[in-house]
C-alpha cells in the first residue's frame, strides 16, 4: 500500500460498478495506521482530497492472513481538537479488540505494488492462496523480478499463476500511509504474459481471471489503462528502465530533483555515455531479435531525447529512488541498472558504467544507514523552557 497501491485501490473504488477490493497489510502496525486513517484511502489533486472507504483488509500476523471486513463502526471518532489538530480515538485501534478470522481463501486476481526487493517475500506469504487459475499483476519499477519469483516462489510451471506485466507513468507522491498526491497525468500499460515458455499469448487464450482483471482495469477511467501484446510490453518496459537507469541513479547521487539534471553540460555528457552502454545491451537482447525498428527505437540519441523530455516533464518531482534513499529504505537499483549489468554479462558486454552507478547507490544507502544507526538520540522533554532562565 505505497503510492501505486493506494492509487490503484482508489481508482478501482471510483468506478460506478465497484469490484470487491481487499487491501493486504503486511503487519499489525499497518493495520493500526489503517484504523487511524479512518479506514480510508485519500488522493489529493490540486490541493483537494478525494477520500474512498469501504475496503476489506487482510492483515498478516505470525505468517497467517486474517480477514477484517470494512465496518463503519470501527472508524475513528472525533474527541475535540488540541493545538489546531483534531484528536481522535478508535474503537478497534487495539488489535486485541477485534475478532479477525483466518483467511486462506483463494485469490483470483492479485495486484503486486511492493518495491522490487520485497516482491519475493510478499508473494511467499500468499503463494498458498494462488492457483494456476489465478492472475498476478506486477506494477513495479525494474526488470527481472518475475524471473526471481519463478525461481524462488513458483518453480513448477504447472502450478504457477498467470502473469500480467504493468507499467505506471502517473505522477504520485506520498504524504503518509494511505494518503497520496496526484502530481501528473500518465498511463498504465498492461500486457498478459505467455505461460510455460509459449512464444506469444492471444486474447482467446487468456485465463478467465486474466480477462476479468484486464477488462476491469482498462475500464477504470482514472488509471488510463491500455492492453498491449507481450512483445510491445517488453519494449515499453525497456524504455522506462532506460529512463530509470539515468534519472533515478543520477538524482540519488546528486541529491537533486529531476529537472536539475537538465542544462548541465557535465551531467549531459555522463547521461549520454550511460545510455550508449544501455543501448548496446538492449539492442543485443535475444528476445528482441527480429522485431522491426529495435535499433532505431533504442538508439542512444533517441533514449537521450526521451530522458530529457521526461526530466522536463517531471522537473519538480523527486524520483522514487531518491525518496527511498531519503527514507533510508532499500532502493530498487539492483533491478534497474543491475538488470542491465546482468543482461550484459549474459551477452558478454561489460557494463562498467551501470555497475559503478549501482555500487555507488548501494554504497550511499549503506553510509546513510550507518550514520542514522550511530546518531545519538536526545530527549529534550525535561528541559526547563522558562524564558526567565
Amino acid at each position: 500500500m505505497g503510492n501505486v497501491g493506494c492509487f490503484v485501490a482508489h481508482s478501482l473504488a471510483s468506478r460506478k460498478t465497484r469490484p470487491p477490493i481487499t487491501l493486504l497489510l503486511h503487519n499489525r502496525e499497518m493495520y493500526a495506521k489503517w484504523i487511524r486513517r479512518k479506514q480510508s484511502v485519500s488522493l489529493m489533486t490540486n490541493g483537494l482530497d478525494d477520500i474512498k472507504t469501504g475496503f476489506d483488509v487482510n492483515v498478516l500476523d505470525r505468517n497467517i492472513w486474517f480477514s477484517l471486513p470494512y465496518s463503519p463502526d470501527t472508524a475513528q471518532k472525533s474527541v475535540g481538537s488540541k493545538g489546531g489538530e483534531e484528536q481522535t480515538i478508535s474503537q478497534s485501534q487495539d488489535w486485541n479488540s477485534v475478532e479477525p478470522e483466518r483467511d486462506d481463501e483463494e485469490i483470483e486476481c492479485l495486484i503486486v505494488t511492493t518495491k522490487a526487493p520485497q516482491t519475493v517475500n510478499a508473494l511467499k506469504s500468499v503463494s498458498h492462496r494462488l492457483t494456476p487459475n489465478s492472475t498476478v499483476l506486477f506494477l513495479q519499477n525494474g526488470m527481472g523480478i518475475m524471473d526471481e519469483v519463478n525461481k524462488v516462489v513458483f518453480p513448477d510451471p504447472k502450478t504457477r499463476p498467470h502473469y500480467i506485466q504493468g507499467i505506471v507513468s502517473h505522477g504520485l507522491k506520498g504524504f503518509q500511509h494511505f494518503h497520496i498526491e496526484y502530481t501528473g497525468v500518465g498511463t498504465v500499460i498492461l500486457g498478459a504474459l505467455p505461460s510455460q515458455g509459449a512464444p506469444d499469448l492471444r486474447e482467446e487464450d487468456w485465463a478467465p481471471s486474466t480477462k476479468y482483471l484486464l477488462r476491469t482495469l482498462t475500464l477504470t477511467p482514472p488509471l488510463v489503462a491500455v492492453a498491449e501484446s507481450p512483445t510491445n510490453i517488453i519494449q515499453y518496459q525497456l524504455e522506462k528502465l532506460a529512463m530509470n537507469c539515468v534519472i533515478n541513479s543520477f538524482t540519488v547521487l546528486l541529491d537533486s530533483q529531476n529537472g536539475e539534471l537538465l542544462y548541465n553540460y557535465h551531467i549531459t555528457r555522463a547521461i549520454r555515455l550511460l545510455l550508449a552502454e544501455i543501448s548496446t545491451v538492449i539492442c543485443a537482447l535475444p528476445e528482441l531479435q527480429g522485431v522491426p525498428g529495435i535499433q532505431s527505437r533504442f538508439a542512444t540519441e533517441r533514449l537521450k531525447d526521451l530522458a530529457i523530455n521526461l526530466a522536463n516533464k517531471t522537473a519538480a518531482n523527486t524520483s522514487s529512488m531518491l525518496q527511498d534513499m531519503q527514507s533510508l529504505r532499500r532502493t530498487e537499483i539492483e533491478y534497474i541498472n543491475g538488470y542491465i549489468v546482468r543482461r550484459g554479462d549474459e551477452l558478454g558486454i561489460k557494463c562498467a558504467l551501470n555497475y559503478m552507478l549501482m555500487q555507488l547507490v548501494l554504497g550511499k544507502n549503506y553510509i546513510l544507514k550507518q550514520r542514522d544507526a550511530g546518531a545519538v538520540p536526545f530527549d529534550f522533554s525535561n528541559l526547563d523552557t522558562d524564558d526567565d532562565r
Side-chain angles (χ1 to χ4, degrees):
M1 292 307 301
N3 295 349
V4 174
C6 286
F7 176 64
V8 173
H10 188 279
S11 299
L12 289 170
S14 302
R15 289 171 51 98
K16 290 182 179 179
T17 54
R18 172 176 173 160
I21 308 164
T22 301
L23 311 182
L24 301 179
L25 309 182
H26 60 275
N27 56 43
R28 288 201 282 181
E29 289 72 23
M30 282 294 291
Y31 174 70
K33 291 169 184 173
W34 172 245
I35 293 298
R36 287 198 291 272
R37 285 295 306 173
K38 302 183 181 181
Q39 303 182 74
S40 67
V41 176
S42 302
L43 180 70
M44 178 188 289
T45 307
N46 298 323
L48 298 175
D49 275 339
D50 183 15
I51 301 172
K52 299 297 180 186
T53 59
F55 302 95
D56 294 332
V57 298
N58 276 189
V59 181
L60 187 64
D61 184 49
R62 299 183 302 276
N63 295 318
I64 299 173
W65 285 102
F66 293 94
S67 177
L68 292 130
Y70 172 74
S71 171
D73 296 334
T74 63
Q76 292 177 328
K77 296 181 178 180
S78 173
V79 292
S81 62
K82 180 180 180 181
E85 295 185 1
E86 188 179 23
Q87 301 296 299
T88 59
I89 189 169
S90 169
Q91 294 177 337
S92 65
Q93 188 168 333
D94 182 2
W95 174 262
N96 296 320
S97 67
V98 296
E99 295 182 3
E101 295 182 2
R102 180 170 180 149
D103 194 344
D104 288 322
E105 184 181 0
E106 176 187 336
I107 298 174
E108 292 183 27
C109 299
L110 177 68
I111 302 176
V112 180
T113 59
T114 61
K115 295 288 185 179
Q118 284 82 46
T119 304
V120 167
N121 284 337
L123 279 175
K124 276 183 180 178
S125 70
V126 292
S127 61
H128 64 289
R129 300 176 61 183
L130 295 166
T131 74
N133 297 319
S134 304
T135 294
V136 179
L137 165 60
F138 296 86
L139 281 180
Q140 304 165 294
N141 281 332
M143 293 182 70
I145 301 163
M146 276 177 284
D147 293 335
E148 193 175 320
V149 167
N150 286 341
K151 181 180 179 181
V152 178
V153 187
F154 302 113
D156 184 358
K158 294 180 181 178
T159 60
R160 193 176 292 163
H162 301 276
Y163 295 153
I164 300 176
Q165 178 65 58
I167 304 167
V168 180
S169 60
H170 292 280
L172 304 168
K173 179 182 178 182
F175 281 122
Q176 50 188 312
H177 290 289
F178 312 106
H179 187 195
I180 61 171
E181 180 182 7
Y182 191 70
T183 60
V185 178
T187 60
V188 178
I189 303 174
L190 304 168
L193 302 185
S195 304
Q196 301 183 33
D200 214 329
L201 187 67
R202 298 171 298 176
E203 184 173 347
E204 55 266 31
D205 298 327
W206 291 347
S209 60
T210 304
K211 290 180 181 179
Y212 171 77
L213 187 54
L214 284 172
R215 184 173 64 249
T216 300
L217 295 174
T218 53
L219 294 177
T220 300
L223 293 178
V224 196
V226 294
E228 290 281 357
S229 69
T231 303
N232 286 341
I233 197 76
I234 190 173
Q235 294 178 70
Y236 284 117
Q237 273 188 282
L238 289 165
E239 278 185 347
K240 183 175 182 181
L241 184 82
M243 300 304 98
N244 286 339
C245 282
V246 170
I247 293 176
N248 283 12
S249 58
F250 276 75
T251 53
V252 164
L253 294 177
L254 299 170
D255 200 21
S256 66
Q257 291 182 316
N258 295 357
E260 293 179 288
L261 301 180
L262 300 169
Y263 314 115
N264 186 319
Y265 173 80
H266 310 286
I267 296 173
T268 303
R269 290 291 292 169
I271 286 175
R272 195 186 185 287
L273 288 170
L274 183 66
L275 288 174
E277 191 174 89
I278 293 168
S279 172
T280 302
V281 172
I282 292 176
C283 291
L285 291 175
E287 58 264 40
L288 294 182
Q289 300 313 300
V291 178
I294 288 299
Q295 299 295 326
S296 58
R297 180 170 184 169
F298 292 99
T300 302
E301 288 304 315
R302 181 176 181 273
L303 292 178
K304 189 185 80 171
D305 290 343
L306 289 176
I308 290 172
N309 290 338
L310 182 59
N312 263 313
K313 183 180 176 182
T314 61
N317 290 7
T318 301
S319 71
S320 59
M321 189 176 290
L322 181 54
Q323 292 179 49
D324 288 339
M325 183 70 72
Q326 291 169 341
S327 301
L328 303 181
R329 293 189 295 262
R330 183 180 173 184
T331 71
E332 297 173 303
I333 192 72
E334 291 152 294
Y335 297 86
I336 298 177
N337 298 77
Y339 179 79
I340 295 294
V341 173
R342 289 193 299 277
R343 297 308 304 271
D345 285 344
E346 293 172 8
L347 298 164
I349 301 170
K350 296 299 180 185
C351 299
L353 297 178
N354 280 277
Y355 182 80
M356 182 180 69
L357 280 176
M358 179 176 69
Q359 297 303 325
L360 288 173
V361 171
L362 291 171
K364 181 173 181 178
N365 194 241
Y366 179 81
I367 287 172
L368 294 180
K369 287 181 178 179
Q370 290 294 105
R371 286 180 186 172
D372 184 68
V376 179
F378 288 95
D379 182 3
F380 296 103
S381 59
N382 294 320
L383 289 182
D384 195 332
T385 57
D386 186 55
D387 292 336
D388 293 330
R389 291 181 175 235

